Amino acid sequence: MINFHNTEIVFRNKSNSDLRKSYLLFSALAHNWLVKAGGKLTQSLFKIGFPVNWFVKPTIYKQFVGGETISECIPTVETLNRSNVKAILDYSVEGTDSEEGIQLALEETLRTIENAEGNPDIPFAVFKPTAFTTISLLTKVSAGEQLTPAEAAGADKFRERVELLCKTAYEKNVSILIDAEDSWYQNFIDEVVNAMMAKYNRNRAIVFNTFQMYRHDRLEFLKKSYQMAVEGNYFLGAKFVRGAYMEKERARAAHMGYPSPIQPDKEHTDHDYNAALKFCIEHIDRITIFNGTHNEYSSSYLCELMAGHNLAKDDPRIWFSQLYGMSDHISFNLAHAGYNVAKYVPYGPVKHVIPYLVRRAEENTSVKGQTGRELSLIKKEIARRKG
Ligand SMILES: Cc1cc2nc3c(=O)[nH]c(=O)nc-3n(C[C@H](O)[C@H](O)[C@H](O)COP(=O)(O)OP(=O)(O)OC[C@H]3O[C@@H](n4cnc5c(N)ncnc54)[C@H](O)[C@@H]3O)c2cc1C
């Protein structure tokens, strides 16, 4: 059984002053009202052009973001790698619908693939499909609605952009993860990603789809995706997460009067998440697993499944992943034990990563429960160092 609570391993790369700063930040995040008010205030200040970098950058940004550019992230990549934790540079600019914004995001994502080429410290690239077209178009195609000629051309353009990224990843031999967001436009993304896997996953999993297990239909969809891979004779790249947009999903379903795509409760999400891991280990000859979670049980359960199937800890078909600045106790202890671990390292200009930071802040409030765990580990390490 893996011990996630060895804080000496977890915080080896943090100075006493770093630890104190993290302690203060997570203490502040524990206050739900502060997170809500702070998130709203920061976004409003940005909108009116008020400079907020001076307080965002040394605090929450430093905790959860690698830097503004790829080169600014390099010291972070090196620090992680000293503990055998790999990095995934995630250009986290969200909500840019303009052609210019899309083009910039495309060029930057291509740079992350090129930067990862031949670099074992950065084994994956990643992108969000919504960076490359509008949500309204993705939604319309996903619903099977009739498209105007301009919309059909827009859908083709989206396919071309995704293909360019997957083809480049294939040519550079860098695996590429395609994130999932809202369910109401995932059908079209699934269709495009499946086509990419059929094309580029002939020898190994280069392209990865994301399965959000808080959706009650995803275990079946995983089995279907596997069946398609068998029939098409390619490898399935399967990134698992529970899902980050539950409230929004439920609210939209209630508002529009359709059945919620989300599991009835957390237990069902946990059940399907772990069942998906089991299914993949039982079919590991054709699947590469990317276990994207901060859940201790789902992390140790995958270790148990691997041991039960006599798979090496560093089997190249199995990866564990957490977000930068969160759940280091899982990442560093797994890597120390010899498992493959890669952390998402978001990067981008302060004002563009605000939506990402707001999500992280909300996830770390006392209400959602992460903070208690982070704080108690930091406290334990501070006490250990004092002897
Ligand atoms: C490396 C990595 C990559 C990620 N990429 C994505 C991505 O592409 N798309 C995405 O959506 N998210 C992504 N996430 C976020 C992820 O979906 C979760 O929001 C987050 O990791 C918390 O889930 P958990 O498994 O870590 O832990 P836990 O704390 O055990 O689970 C919390 C999660 O359980 C689910 N849940 C909570 N309450 C209920 C309930 N009442 N009913 C049903 N389900 C419930 C929700 O999904 C919630 O986020 C990623 C996370 C990581 C670590």
Side-chain angles (χ1 to χ4, degrees), residues 277-278 280-284 302-312 315 317:
L277 296 179
K278 184 164 183 281
C280 290
I281 288 289
E282 285 164 358
H283 299 88
I284 195 70
L302 182 55
C303 299
E304 275 171 39
L305 287 170
M306 290 167 73
H309 286 74
N310 294 320
L311 296 168
D315 189 302
R317 296 166 299 184

Side-chain angles (χ1 to χ4, degrees), residues 180 212 214 239 242-244 250 265-266 269 293-295 321:
Q212 295 166 307
Y214 67 4
K239 172 186 150 187
R242 280 181 169 73
R250 285 186 170 150
D265 50 39
K266 173 83 161 64
T269 300
T293 183
H294 299 144
N295 182 295
S321 184

